[in-house]
Amino acid sequence: IDIELACGEERVSRLARLAKEKGMGVVVSKHDFEKTPPAKEISDTLVRMKNLGADLPKYAVMPHSPEDVLELLAATWDANCQVGPVITMSMGELGKVSRVAGGLFGSCLTFGAGQNASAPGQIDAENLRAILEDLQPYDGNAAGWNGQASRD
C-alpha cells in the first residue's frame, strides 16, 4: 500500500500498522510538484517516513536546476545510510537522470511509463530497461560495491 505523508503523520502511522497486520508492504510517499527542498529536509523526511512505519519511504521532487537533482541524490545517499533502501526521483526533463542513476545513491526502485506517463519525466519502460542494463555498473558481486550506501 502507498500512503501519502500529506494525510497526516498520525494517520500514516495508523494505516501503516494496519497494513502490516494484514501482511502488506508499506510505501509512505511525499510529492513536491513545485520545487526541490534542501537535501537535509529531504533526508530527514525520508527517515521520518521510515519511523512512521514505511518499509520504503518515497520522495519525488521537481528540480529547477541540475543542482536540485544533486540535492535529491545527496539526500538519497544520506537517507540510505541511515535507514536503508528508499525510493527517490526528480521529476521532469531535468530529473530523468535521477531515474536511471538513483540506484547508485540508494534509490531501490524507479518508474517507467507504460503507454502514458503518470508523472513528469517518466521514461518509456522499454527504453528505461535498456538504459539501466547498459549503465549497470556492477553485476551484484563486484568487489567494493554491495548496493548499500555507507559513509565510510
Side-chain angles (χ1 to χ4, degrees):
I1 184 168
D2 190 338
I3 306 166
E4 182 65 39
L5 185 63
C7 75
E9 291 189 11
E10 185 177 308
R11 190 171 189 194
V12 167
S13 182
R14 182 176 53 81
L15 290 172
R17 182 179 37 78
L18 291 170
K20 288 182 177 190
E21 287 173 5
K22 300 287 185 188
M24 295 182 206
V26 176
V27 173
V28 176
S29 299
K30 181 171 176 68
H31 299 81
D32 191 328
F33 290 98
E34 302 296 321
K35 66 185 181 320
T36 299
K40 180 165 179 18
E41 181 180 329
I42 296 169
S43 179
D44 288 351
T45 301
L46 289 163
V47 170
R48 193 168 77 246
M49 290 174 182
K50 184 73 171 189
N51 292 335
L52 289 170
D55 294 309
L56 286 172
K58 175 185 165 198
Y59 206 137
V61 300
M62 184 61 72
H64 294 284
S65 69
E67 183 179 17
D68 285 347
V69 178
L70 290 174
E71 286 287 308
L72 181 274
L73 293 174
T76 302
W77 181 265
D78 184 60
N80 183 279
C81 288
Q82 294 183 62
V83 298
V86 296
I87 304 169
T88 63
M89 71 274 309
S90 286
M91 297 180 280
E93 291 300 309
L94 272 173
K96 284 184 177 182
V97 68
S98 73
R99 294 179 180 273
V100 298
L104 286 173
F105 299 88
S107 183
C108 66
L109 192 140
T110 191
F111 296 84
Q115 288 186 314
N116 298 304
S118 62
Q122 276 187 347
I123 301 167
D124 171 84
E126 189 174 320
N127 290 336
L128 179 59
R129 181 182 188 129
I131 293 167
L132 290 172
E133 287 175 356
D134 284 348
L135 295 178
Q136 189 68 13
Y138 58 93
D139 65 5
N141 297 313
W145 175 251
N146 63 8
Q148 179 67 37
S150 171
R151 291 187 177 138
D152 296 338

